[in-house]
Amino acid sequence: MENSLLAKFVAIVGQNNIITDPAQQQPYLADWRGRYQGKAMAVVKPQTTTQVVQLVNLCNVNNITIIPQGGNTSLSGAATPLNQSTLSQVIINLSMMNKILSINKEDNSINVEAGCTLAKVIDYAEANGRYFPLNIAAKDSCQIGGNIATNAGGIHVIKYGMIRDMVLGLEVVLPNGEIFNSLNNLRKNNSYLDLKQLFIGSEGTLGIITRAILKLYPKPVGVITGLISVKTIFQAIDILNRLYAHFSVCAFEIIGKTMQSIYNTHFAANKFPLNDNWLILFELETNNENNTLNILSEVLNDVSVVICDSMVSRQNLWHIRENLPLAEKIHGIAIKHDISLPISQIELFIKQNEKSIKDYYPDAQIIIFGHLGDGNLHYNVQLATNEQTIEQEVYINKLVYTDALSLGGSVSAEHGIGQLKTSWYKLAIDPVGYNLAKQIKQLLDPKNIFNPKKIFSEIIQ
Ligand SMILES: Cc1cc2nc3c(=O)[nH]c(=O)nc-3n(C[C@H](O)[C@H](O)[C@H](O)COP(=O)(O)OP(=O)(O)OC[C@H]3O[C@@H](n4cnc5c(N)ncnc54)[C@H](O)[C@@H]3O)c2cc1C
């Protein structure tokens, strides 16, 4: 049975585009954080939408579940197959569908296959005098299809929004093998429901995204990057609003004191140039650098500030920011939370939750960094030993998520639900919304062959 099925997969994609050897499959079977390990009959790499349709039909007839996979950089185990019989699962990896199909400079749009890496799209836009603003540290590996399926965020959300705001049209192979086509580059299109939105953030549960038309933007003429130090989050929010009044703010990242000291310990050769309770890495897009610098010095006259004076110093500051997760990883295991809150509630959340955690775990280290401008905190907790951290995860999650939800927050700002947060998804969203989401999943994928046991904590029939 297995051999005859494999022969059918080979007949669709060719012998060179299928991996069955467990050792070669390994990079596709484990998630980026090394938390989940799955099994698969094969990793299959289609090169065309027609091949994707054929693969989906074959899986449908044979009741084989499909794990759509892009760059496999998910931080919630969303792209990792389950740890069950190899016979029942196939990874459809989009990396061979990696062509930029066209760019339209008049309409400011780009038409790409879903397997293009994010970096390829950014670079292509740049080479053509345009700008694609999605920017995340995984850009060299993650793919546009994965970015859309997770509704990726990153550092520029305060100005450009999540990728949802950058998608004009999509092509998606549905679980029944039909092709949904909304490939247009219209800015306005009020023709009843905007169905492409269903697939943005669907985490591989409703079909396979094969193509996308994305918005492009004018390249910023100039950029000013700087670091400031503040005592409180309220002070940071006040500065953000002062900056908004004068400038086009495109990044406003926060780094807490514990994160600063962990980073400085592990990257001693390139320490933060300032230190305080909170550091803010900000970036402004500007047309007139001299004028901006003059106004900026007035706006920031009451805080310590370092302004980057060259491309090298700018890259250096962003390099520090990108290395924070690595520094944290070197420091030991932490329980990670990607939460968002109304920005006005962040100071209160941090005070309240620090008390909730320290009441039970006086030695806990709370490591905070993230995208303050859009209310997204990477809020990670480390206990005295790695063993204790692993053992107490469920309790720590409860303390963090309960406080975040009570203040109007979300348990997943940008990393998605995957298999990491299934139980919290059900608790966190409105029950009517949960049932609606389940019904949509059942309608589109009645056999539940697309990425099962992700998102929903209960069995979907
Ligand atoms: C160092 C690092 C930094 C990160 N920073 C950020 C950040 O700042 N902001 C942020 O939002 N995320 C961030 N992430 C998380 C991750 O990079 C994003 O979620 C990214 O969008 C995933 O893209 P991918 O191609 O790797 O998708 P994968 O990990 O392969 O898949 C993710 C989900 O999308 C589905 N999927 C993938 N491709 C398709 C497709 N073509 N059709 C349908 N479903 C598909 C999968 O089934 C899975 O559910 C970071 C990750 C790392 C490792």
Side-chain angles (χ1 to χ4, degrees), residues 429-457:
I429 77 158
D430 154 55
V432 175
Y434 181 84
N435 277 332
L436 192 55
K438 212 168 81 178
Q439 285 168 37
I440 291 169
K441 166 74 173 160
Q442 284 163 331
L443 179 73
L444 288 185
D445 183 20
K447 290 170 87 176
N448 194 24
I449 62 168
F450 267 76
N451 224 0
K453 298 197 184 162
K454 312 284 167 60
I455 316 289
F456 299 99
S457 53

Side-chain angles (χ1 to χ4, degrees), residues 53-345:
V53 170
Q54 290 168 339
L55 291 170
V56 169
N57 288 338
L58 181 60
C59 290
N60 229 323
V61 171
N62 291 283
N63 289 318
I64 295 166
T65 65
I66 293 172
I67 319 316
Q69 192 179 75
N72 196 20
T73 64
S74 165
L75 297 177
S76 60
T80 311
L82 302 171
N83 196 4
Q84 63 187 38
S85 156
T86 56
L87 250 187
S88 56
Q89 306 186 88
V90 161
I91 295 173
I92 298 189
N93 182 291
L94 275 287
S95 54
M96 298 301 288
M97 292 180 64
N98 58 11
K99 289 195 272 307
I100 304 238
L101 299 167
S102 60
I103 185 164
N104 186 325
K105 293 200 199 179
E106 287 75 35
D107 289 335
N108 276 309
S109 65
I110 187 164
N111 183 346
V112 303
E113 289 186 330
C116 282
T117 62
L118 172 57
K120 183 168 180 174
V121 175
I122 293 172
D123 291 348
Y124 196 86
E126 162 101 30
N128 283 276
R130 296 292 183 272
Y131 181 56
F132 186 64
L134 182 69
N135 196 333
I136 66 180
K139 61 177 173 278
D140 291 321
S141 317
C142 66
Q143 299 173 7
I144 287 298
N147 298 149
I148 295 170
T150 56
N151 189 24
I155 56 175
H156 292 144
V157 172
I158 48 169
K159 175 154 187 203
Y160 295 97
M162 313 278 280
I163 198 171
R164 185 184 298 283
D165 296 296
M166 304 165 202
V167 176
L168 292 171
L170 284 184
E171 177 186 84
V172 184
V173 176
L174 302 180
N176 66 1
E178 284 181 334
I179 301 173
F180 166 77
N181 184 332
S182 76
L183 287 171
N184 65 71
N185 54 10
L186 299 174
R187 307 280 159 154
K188 288 181 117 173
N189 185 7
N190 265 350
S191 310
Y192 193 44
L193 302 178
D194 184 4
L195 290 173
K196 70 173 182 293
Q197 300 295 344
L198 271 182
F199 303 98
I200 304 175
S202 63
E203 297 192 40
T205 61
L206 301 180
I208 301 186
I209 299 161
T210 44
R211 267 172 70 180
I213 298 188
L214 305 166
K215 279 185 200 169
L216 296 177
Y217 298 78
K219 250 168 70 167
V221 177
V223 172
I224 289 183
T225 308
L227 190 74
I228 49 181
S229 63
V230 291
K231 297 276 175 240
T232 68
I233 303 268
F234 281 129
Q235 196 187 357
I237 296 173
D238 175 52
I239 288 171
L240 176 60
N241 283 316
R242 283 194 248 160
L243 291 173
Y244 274 147
H246 295 274
F247 308 112
S248 174
V249 186
C250 62
F252 201 77
E253 300 282 297
I254 190 161
I255 303 113
K257 207 175 179 59
T258 308
M259 183 71 256
Q260 294 164 39
S261 107
I262 291 172
Y263 173 83
N264 286 339
T265 306
H266 297 290
F267 287 82
N270 186 25
K271 290 186 181 181
F272 278 104
L274 295 173
N275 71 77
D276 208 325
N277 292 353
W278 302 101
L279 296 182
I280 305 290
L281 197 178
F282 68 92
E283 200 154 86
L284 315 173
E285 291 177 2
T286 167
N287 290 326
N288 182 333
E289 195 166 318
N290 283 339
N291 197 25
T292 304
L293 286 172
N294 289 338
I295 304 174
L296 193 59
S297 67
E298 283 172 35
V299 172
L300 300 178
N301 66 359
D302 54 352
V303 285
S304 299
V305 52
V306 173
I307 302 287
C308 299
D309 56 5
S310 66
M311 184 52 93
V312 173
S313 65
R314 182 182 166 220
Q315 282 167 346
N316 187 43
L317 212 46
W318 278 113
H319 204 52
I320 294 180
R321 168 64 183 88
E322 283 171 6
N323 274 330
L324 298 182
L326 185 57
E328 197 190 14
K329 199 170 176 175
I330 299 168
H331 196 62
I333 293 176
I335 306 162
K336 318 262 188 191
H337 306 97
D338 162 49
I339 51 175
S340 67
L341 287 141
I343 191 166
S344 58
Q345 302 299 305

Side-chain angles (χ1 to χ4, degrees), residues 388-414:
Q388 200 194 1
T389 306
I390 294 168
E391 202 182 277
Q392 298 300 309
E393 178 171 14
V394 173
Y395 306 104
I396 297 279
N397 283 347
K398 192 165 178 197
L399 293 173
V400 173
Y401 292 144
T402 305
D403 279 347
L405 290 171
S406 75
L407 292 170
S410 163
V411 300
S412 171
E414 60 179 9

